[in-house]
Amino acid sequence: MSTKKNPAGLGGGSWEIERSGSDDSLPFGVKKTHLSIVSDVEDTDWTTRLVDVSLGNPDIKNTSLFSVLIRRVERGNVGWVSETHPTDSSEQGSEAAGQVIRTLSGQNPLWESRLAGLKGQPTCDPAGAAVPAFGDLATVRSMGTGQRTHVIGFDTEFTYVSETERVIDSYQFCCLDPTDEDVRIDVVILPLQQQRILVEDALYIVVRAAYLHRLVEDLHPRGVARRDFWKNGDYKGALDALFKHRVPLVLAGHYLPADLTAFARPARQRRGGEKYNDLLRRVTSASGGLVGLNPIRVVRRGGRSDGSRWMPMSVIVRDTMGQVAPGQKTLAALGKSCGVEKIDVGESISDMSTLRRDHLVEFLEYGANDSVIVLEYLGALWGLNTVPPVTISGGGARALRDGVMDYWGIDSPADFRMRFQGLVELSTAQAEGNDGDDGLSYYAVRDLAPVDGDANQTHTAWKKAFHGGWNACIAPGYHPYPTYDHDIQSAYPSAMASIYDVDYVGGAIDKVIKDRELTLDDFDHGPITPMVAYASWEFPDDTVAPCLPVRSGDSVIYPLTSHGCGAAQGDEVDGYRGFEGAWCAGPELYLALQLGAQVTVQIGYTMRVMDAPDGNEDGSRSLRSALRQMVADRAIAKEVFGKGSLEEQTIKVGTNSCYGKLAQDVAERNGWDAWEEQMESIGGSAVTSPYHASMTTSLVRALLLAVANEIEILSVTTDGFITAVEEIESLECFGIAEVFRNARLALADDPTVWEVKHKQDDLVNLSTRGNVALSAGGVLAKAGLKTPKA
């Protein structure tokens, strides 16, 4: 590792919060510890400062002393490591299999190269067309934000002194030099009195150490003079004036529930009761981490009265837990992908306080390295000093939205919300007198409301008809004969690509079905007719797999009849118990009629289908167009960077998460509120739609339930099943298979619906998602069971 020395002194001369290590007024223990730190790093790249963040800060009454260590490092051989992962023997022998590509001096093939320098990778396709860089793919452009700012990698080290109490040993940060992205600046803050530091003080130190303030026009290193922005009696106006000079930052860590809670908690409150400078008030849980949905204003105050200076910082919080594919969520995996190997300190990991005291240099290298992994990984994935999306799945939702908007030829998010989701901003709805909705959490949390009465009624109906996948162990026991584990190829994207768009502009309800039996004539578009109904039913007694779902506690059951298990249960009143039925979606209602069921609808709606923008289709299918682009971009990434590469995995995760984003908070879902220390509704995503979500999952269930009525199946899990029947592609599934064939053809130019994931000569069917075979390559689903570690 090489360093760049700054002749003027790292951090830009003396700081107003700095104290001399030889000051006799320092507490003896603090002085001794700091001087020991200075001695330990004397022959290293680190320079030290002793700071007292209470100096000039009216919010801190007592001394608050920290040792700050800073170094400048040539980034060198850092960048994206693109690996192909062979999956069978034929790939093992390929020239590309297992190759590792490492770029030089901060470049990375995702965003900066034209692939010409990537050994073994093509620069054009077989037809001679140029292959775009990863960052040039439409999906990746949409997933990313493209916004430039200072990205700070962040981590902490701590030691538990009891089951619930920990000592913070260090706060470590790193960022790029704002004028030279080949240079990284590492900052480590060491508490000297086992105290915690306020987030504004820590970020202020990083800003000063890395000169991040100097790219803000006319910003003094200590911030803005209070007299230049303060307006008597206008607190909001003063803050608005102050934040015109803000230092924009991204504070990024890995698993921030551990690290973001290491900062001191401020006692001061702003006017209006808002908590002062506390990031935990403004973050929410996502993908196992903590993220900020919007920039957070953080101010560091120094000095008193008009002579004081305030440093305004706008902080975006990101967690790399949400920036990586499932199964790759360890910091070591992130480091491997970007060329920064995670350091192992062995058993010292459980007692970092001792490691810091006895082996400070090793401690510093370990701690700083973790923050470097975060910084370099995000730079490799989204571009150096670029604001990452909230999560990869959030980026996928953004790409889906952009694809829908491109299909319709619109560029307004407000138009998208109205056309796709049937929602408008709450202020608009109130102005139009539409304030009587039921406040479903998925839109209420986002201050949105249904566009009109039709939307209000049907949002509620589709929400009630929404259920998850069909999962069942139909034939438990030992099956000593050949069986096959079939999966629907790209089940949820294929179902999403089949669904028509509802025309919410001018009233979404086309027909109302009231107090009558349902017939196949009600399905103008076959199994993908946009219908939702509160229905009761009777299947023939010999029906193998009834297909209309009823929620029972946390489970979903499929009874032959709704009588006795429908939604209206309770005591009879004057001989009437109520209409014993359930809310069901079109695909399963269609299949029920095909299976011979008698279905009676108390109230139901058929939605009005939107016209296709080009007039060439029988109705608008915006999701098909959007997903086609994402599937094509994933194929390019797979071809250029290799199957299983993180480039391909990034688009795969973004694409596969689109269904989850359509369904986000339709079935109410809570996240952890770190400030209130309680669960709260997470609200919907940018594309949440009860209609699209309910139709999608109903269509997937309907295909599996149709198969179960044509052949014997042993077990089923969400998008696949196990059976003794090998050839199933020819099954018509009462017309539902054709829907999937058309979608597969549109998305992947291949009408094949099914693929065999496993085949085995024997099978033990233990439970739902519990399937075990002894055959090599056979199914192994553990039902959540884990073997104990030695």
Side-chain angles (χ1 to χ4, degrees):
M1 178 184 297
S2 61
T3 62
K4 279 193 170 183
K5 293 292 185 181
N6 178 4
L10 293 177
S14 62
W15 298 350
E16 79 288 352
I17 59 174
E18 192 170 2
R19 295 185 65 173
S20 170
S22 60
D23 189 341
D24 290 336
S25 66
L26 291 171
F28 175 76
V30 168
K31 183 175 180 178
K32 178 181 177 181
T33 303
H34 176 71
L35 291 178
S36 176
I37 291 170
V38 173
S39 175
D40 286 343
V41 301
E42 185 174 4
D43 296 325
T44 70
D45 303 326
W46 296 97
T47 64
T48 59
R49 293 174 181 264
L50 175 64
V51 302
D52 182 354
V53 295
S54 70
L55 293 177
N57 189 337
D59 297 328
I60 303 178
K61 305 305 180 183
N62 302 313
T63 58
S64 189
L65 295 154
F66 300 86
S67 291
V68 176
L69 295 97
I70 311 168
R71 69 178 178 186
R72 290 164 57 82
V73 181
E74 292 275 9
R75 293 177 58 236
N77 293 344
V78 178
W80 193 257
V81 179
S82 180
E83 298 186 48
T84 58
H85 301 283
T87 57
D88 56 40
S89 56
S90 63
E91 289 184 284
Q92 292 278 4
S94 69
E95 180 180 349
Q99 67 181 333
V100 177
I101 302 161
R102 196 181 302 274
T103 61
L104 300 177
S105 189
Q107 294 179 342
N108 63 76
L110 298 186
W111 291 91
E112 298 174 9
S113 83
R114 300 181 63 83
L115 303 180
L118 300 185
K119 181 180 179 181
Q121 301 289 4
T123 58
C124 59
D125 64 21
V131 177
F134 185 72
D136 292 334
L137 297 175
T139 298
V140 181
R141 287 201 309 271
S142 293
M143 288 176 68
T145 67
Q147 302 171 7
R148 296 273 294 174
T149 195
H150 304 298
V151 177
I152 298 173
F154 165 56
D155 189 49
T156 63
E157 302 303 332
F158 48 82
T159 301
Y160 276 97
V161 295
S162 70
E163 291 186 0
T164 58
E165 183 182 359
R166 59 180 176 162
V167 171
I168 308 302
D169 297 303
S170 66
Y171 304 82
Q172 48 266 7
F173 307 85
C174 68
C175 60
L176 303 182
D177 186 305
T179 60
D180 186 357
E181 289 187 343
D182 285 340
V183 175
R184 188 186 75 243
I185 299 173
D186 297 338
V187 180
V188 178
I189 300 174
L190 301 177
L192 297 176
Q193 301 165 297
Q194 292 194 347
Q195 80 280 40
R196 301 187 179 198
I197 194 169
L198 292 165
V199 65
E200 62 266 32
D201 289 326
L203 293 178
Y204 177 72
I205 289 171
V206 176
V207 167
R208 293 295 302 273
Y211 299 88
L212 299 184
H213 59 278
R214 61 182 165 181
L215 296 186
V216 181
E217 186 176 358
D218 299 328
L219 182 60
H220 189 278
R222 290 172 51 201
V224 183
R226 183 179 184 273
R227 59 179 174 270
D228 292 339
F229 67 86
W230 192 259
K231 303 179 187 300
N232 290 332
D234 186 4
Y235 182 74
K236 182 180 184 303
L239 285 183
D240 290 343
L242 170 65
F243 272 86
K244 290 179 180 179
H245 306 279
R246 66 190 177 277
V247 180
L249 306 172
V250 169
L251 183 65
H254 187 72
Y255 191 64
L256 287 180
D259 298 317
L260 209 58
T261 53
F263 290 114
R265 305 296 293 272
R268 181 182 174 88
Q269 289 189 343
R270 290 178 180 169
R271 296 181 187 182
E274 290 186 325
K275 302 300 183 293
Y276 179 75
N277 278 0
D278 198 317
L279 297 186
L280 291 182
R281 179 171 170 80
R282 301 288 299 279
V283 295
T284 188
S285 58
S287 301
L290 290 176
V291 298
L293 301 180
N294 296 294
I296 304 167
R297 285 182 169 185
V298 174
V299 181
R300 199 274 170 179
R301 302 200 306 162
R304 299 183 182 278
S305 302
D306 286 345
S308 66
R309 286 188 175 271
W310 295 24
M311 177 66 77
M313 295 167 284
S314 179
V315 182
I316 296 172
V317 178
R318 291 292 182 265
D319 197 317
T320 48
M321 289 290 289
Q323 302 288 331
V324 69
Q328 301 288 327
K329 287 184 177 288
T330 66
L331 203 54
L334 268 65
K336 181 181 179 182
S337 70
C338 65
V340 183
E341 184 176 354
K342 182 169 171 56
I343 297 172
D344 184 6
V345 293
E347 295 181 359
S348 294
I349 193 67
S350 62
D351 188 0
M352 296 303 289
S353 294
T354 299
L355 183 65
R356 171 185 150 174
R357 184 191 65 213
D358 296 343
H359 303 282
L360 179 62
V361 174
E362 182 181 355
F363 174 89
L364 293 173
E365 292 298 336
Y366 173 82
N369 188 73
D370 284 355
S371 64
V372 172
I373 291 174
V374 171
L375 176 73
E376 295 293 355
Y377 178 82
L378 292 177
L381 186 58
W382 304 115
L384 297 176
N385 273 344
T386 299
V387 178
V390 177
T391 60
I392 288 182
S393 60
R398 193 199 314 270
L400 188 73
R401 184 192 64 183
D402 287 357
V404 170
M405 293 171 68
D406 287 344
Y407 173 74
W408 285 336
I410 62 175
D411 56 13
S412 165
D415 281 352
F416 171 83
R417 285 194 296 269
M418 179 179 290
R419 292 168 182 256
F420 187 82
Q421 299 172 289
L423 299 174
V424 293
E425 292 186 4
L426 191 58
S427 57
T428 303
Q430 291 172 331
E432 296 175 355
N434 180 27
D435 56 0
D437 67 273
D438 53 12
L440 299 179
S441 67
Y442 84 90
Y443 60 73
V445 169
R446 306 297 183 208
D447 291 326
L448 301 171
V451 63
D452 58 19
D454 277 10
N456 185 47
Q457 288 293 106
T458 55
H459 285 339
T460 301
W462 286 110
K463 173 183 169 65
K464 291 181 179 297
F466 175 77
H467 304 291
W470 180 35
N471 299 278
C473 181
I474 298 172
Y478 178 51
H479 302 275
Y481 48 83
T483 55
Y484 304 86
D485 184 6
H486 297 279
D487 268 13
I488 308 170
Q489 295 199 72
S490 302
Y492 283 87
S494 297
M496 291 162 58
S498 304
I499 295 168
Y500 293 109
D501 296 313
V502 167
D503 193 350
Y504 284 106
V505 179
I509 297 176
D510 183 34
K511 300 175 183 176
V512 177
I513 304 171
K514 178 65 176 168
D515 294 331
R516 67 173 175 84
E517 286 192 18
L518 204 60
T519 72
L520 287 172
D521 291 337
D522 291 308
F523 293 83
D524 296 336
H525 297 277
I528 49 176
T529 299
M531 177 190 294
V532 61
Y534 190 78
S536 65
W537 60 87
E538 290 272 1
F539 282 91
D541 291 341
D542 61 352
T543 303
V544 175
C547 63
L548 294 179
V550 174
R551 182 164 295 280
S552 177
D554 293 331
S555 301
V556 175
I557 60 175
Y558 295 85
L560 281 169
T561 177
S562 60
H563 301 303
C565 61
Q569 298 300 306
D571 296 332
E572 292 186 6
V573 178
D574 294 332
Y576 182 69
R577 179 176 294 184
F579 189 91
E580 295 180 335
W583 284 101
C584 302
E588 287 159 308
L589 289 167
Y590 172 87
L591 177 59
L593 296 181
Q594 292 281 5
L595 295 175
Q598 180 181 1
V599 181
T600 302
V601 173
Q602 186 186 49
I603 183 68
Y605 311 102
T606 301
M607 313 293 284
R608 191 159 54 92
V609 174
M610 184 188 300
D611 293 334
D614 56 9
N616 294 327
E617 299 182 74
D618 57 346
S620 175
R621 295 181 185 179
S622 60
L623 291 179
R624 174 173 292 190
S625 177
L627 288 166
R628 184 189 296 126
Q629 180 67 61
M630 299 176 79
V631 170
D633 287 345
R634 179 186 171 189
I636 292 174
K638 180 179 178 180
E639 175 68 22
V640 173
F641 297 102
K643 182 177 181 179
S645 65
L646 286 178
E647 295 89 339
E648 186 224 359
Q649 290 293 307
T650 297
I651 300 181
K652 177 182 178 180
V653 171
T655 304
N656 290 346
S657 65
C658 287
Y659 163 72
K661 288 299 180 180
L662 286 176
Q664 182 171 309
D665 208 35
V666 173
E668 291 190 20
R669 180 180 161 200
N670 292 329
W672 180 250
D673 183 331
W675 174 261
E676 299 292 347
E677 297 185 347
Q678 64 183 19
M679 303 299 287
E680 66 173 2
S681 175
I682 64 172
S685 74
V687 296
T688 293
S689 169
Y691 161 69
H692 290 93
S694 186
M695 280 290 292
T696 296
T697 190
S698 177
L699 189 57
V700 173
R701 289 194 306 269
L703 178 60
L704 295 173
L705 287 158
V707 170
N709 281 284
E710 293 200 54
I711 63 174
E712 182 182 3
I713 66 176
L714 308 176
S715 178
V716 60
T717 52
T718 304
D719 61 354
F721 61 91
I722 300 176
T723 179
V725 181
E726 180 178 7
E727 173 54 48
I728 64 170
E729 194 64 42
S730 61
L731 297 179
E732 291 301 323
C733 302
F734 305 93
I736 299 174
E738 187 63 24
V739 172
F740 280 81
R741 290 191 191 105
N742 290 335
R744 290 285 302 156
L745 192 62
L747 292 180
D749 297 323
D750 179 3
T752 305
V753 176
W754 303 97
E755 63 178 335
V756 176
K757 297 298 289 287
H758 305 96
K759 54 185 177 180
Q760 49 275 323
D761 295 326
D762 57 359
L763 173 72
V764 178
N765 224 16
L766 298 171
S767 64
T768 302
R769 297 186 180 273
N771 323 108
V772 182
L774 291 176
S775 306
V779 66
L780 177 59
K782 302 177 183 178
L785 297 176
K786 296 182 179 180
T787 56
K789 295 182 179 180

